[in-house]
Structure formats: C-alpha cells, structure tokens
Amino acid sequence: MCFTVYVMRHGQTDANANEIEQGSADFSRLTDLGKEQASNAYQALVDTRVTSIYTSPLTRARQTLEQLRQADSSSTQTVLPPSDLILNNLREIDQYDWQGQSYSELKRQFPESWRAWEKGIPDEMKVLETATNVVHYPLLEMWERADRVWSEILDLERKQQDDDNEKDRSVLIVAHGNLGQALLGSAMGWDANSFNDKGVFGNCGMAKI
C-alpha cells in the first residue's frame, strides 16, 4: 500500500490570539482570520485526491475541516471525500490544570515546567490534575498517544483498502499543533525529546508524511 498522510493544524482560535492555553479543552473557536487560513490552506490539497479524513473531536479542528469543505465545494474538481472519521486520540495535548490559563500566568506560576514545555524536555514538564491529585507528564503522554493513533489509523486504512481495492491511500488528518509534532516525530522514529526541535506547526500549517 502506498500511504501518504497530510497532517494539518487548525486555524487561529480566539485562545491563540489571546495567548490562552487550550490543551484538549474545547472552549475555543476559530477567529475570522482562522477561517480565512483554513480556506487558503485548501490550495495545498488541490492536486491531491484525498481518500480518507480523520479529525480531532475538538470544535476548532472540526471548524477547520468545515472551511476546507466549503472551499472544496466551490472547486471545479473536488478532492475531499464526503465523510470523515473523528478519533478521540487526535485531540490536542492534555494540559490538565493549565487549560484555560494565560501563558503569562503559567510562566509566573510554574516557571520550571513552562521552561521544560518551551524547550521540549519531556521528563521535566509536569502538570497537576487537581481532580485526581495526579501529576502528569503531558509531553510523554502525548507521544504515547501519537503511537497509538498511528496504529489505529493504519488498521482502518488497511481495512478500507481491502474494501475499496485501492492500492494508493492519501489521508488528511485535521488536528492540532502539538499533537502534529508528536505524529510527525512518531512517524519519523523520534522520541519526545524532539519536541519543538524540528520546528512547530503554525495555524493551518501542514506536513506531508
């Protein structure tokens, strides 16, 4: 099976614009700029026939896909399939108590963990989950989840290939910036220490694997 994957981050959200940590919480929505970014990102797909779409369950990713579909419907030759599949493992990094707080406040309250977050030091990036009184290592957890979601997608694609009798598969994943790094890193055989080391996903940034 020839298997090509396009990993796209969602467009700008109100939380992005206001430097609020989103994590896997679902309170943010695309700004007008974010919708424009998503519509423009469609141009990177016009020469591709996408056979499958997988998305995060979070609204900002779903809104981004909606903008892509609107652009596709206006195109002379559509490239997106009519359906998509939501995978919970494609949600953004779980940031627990950090979610909903401003970057400036997080830097002030948790300077060591924030530094580890920015520098990509997974063993030192710790976040408390007050509800369970458990200290988590979000970068390590996200990398493990990226491995799992690749296995999930590959299993689904093999089944779809058998059903469709197609040799070539082109997959679009609409998800998030931090998870996108983990998906790319996992696919390339890099561990969580590569976080923020190979570049970051801007809003509606896309990587081809």
Side-chain angles (χ1 to χ4, degrees), residues 6-10 53-57 60-65 68 90 172-176:
Y6 300 87
V7 181
M8 180 182 292
R9 183 189 178 192
H10 59 79
I53 302 175
Y54 299 97
T55 74
S56 161
R60 55 194 188 267
R62 300 295 299 167
Q63 287 182 307
T64 298
L65 177 57
L68 292 173
L90 287 176
L172 173 64
I173 296 174
V174 183
H176 307 275

Side-chain angles (χ1 to χ4, degrees), residues 16-172:
N16 292 149
N18 291 298
E19 297 192 331
I20 303 296
E21 180 59 43
Q22 299 168 103
S24 58
D26 199 22
F27 57 83
S28 64
R29 300 295 181 265
L30 293 192
T31 62
D32 289 342
L33 174 59
K35 292 176 182 178
E36 181 181 353
Q37 289 170 333
S39 296
N40 292 339
Y42 175 77
Q43 295 304 312
L45 299 169
V46 293
D47 294 326
T48 303
R49 192 177 75 84
V50 177
T51 53
S52 301
I53 302 175
Y54 299 97
T55 74
S56 161
L58 302 183
T59 302
R60 55 194 188 267
R62 300 295 299 167
Q63 287 182 307
T64 298
L65 177 57
E66 180 181 342
Q67 295 299 127
L68 292 173
R69 288 202 180 283
Q70 288 182 17
D72 193 48
S73 67
S74 301
S75 177
T76 55
Q77 183 175 354
T78 59
V79 300
L80 302 181
S83 62
D84 55 85
L85 186 61
I86 297 172
L87 299 180
N88 185 53
N89 278 333
L90 287 176
R91 69 187 185 278
E92 180 59 298
I93 186 172
D94 297 316
Q95 292 283 50
Y96 305 102
D97 284 10
W98 283 18
Q99 294 174 173
Q101 297 195 58
S102 68
Y103 296 168
S104 60
E105 186 63 18
L106 291 171
K107 290 178 187 178
R108 186 187 67 79
Q109 290 191 59
F110 313 104
E112 293 182 2
S113 282
W114 185 266
R115 175 184 171 278
W117 167 235
E118 289 190 315
K119 297 293 185 181
I121 309 173
D123 294 333
E124 297 179 14
M125 196 257 177
K126 306 175 185 179
V127 177
L128 175 66
E129 182 183 15
T130 300
T132 59
N133 198 33
V134 172
V135 174
H136 292 268
Y137 293 80
L139 283 173
L140 294 175
E141 292 176 357
M142 179 177 65
W143 232 261
E144 292 172 359
R145 177 152 53 87
D147 286 338
R148 293 199 304 272
V149 79
W150 276 131
S151 296
E152 187 176 4
I153 288 172
L154 285 169
D155 286 345
L156 289 165
E157 285 301 302
R158 289 189 185 100
K159 183 179 185 302
Q160 194 65 45
Q161 183 192 33
D162 291 341
D163 292 345
D164 296 346
N165 198 30
E166 290 191 47
K167 292 183 178 180
D168 297 336
R169 307 291 302 172
S170 293
V171 172
L172 173 64

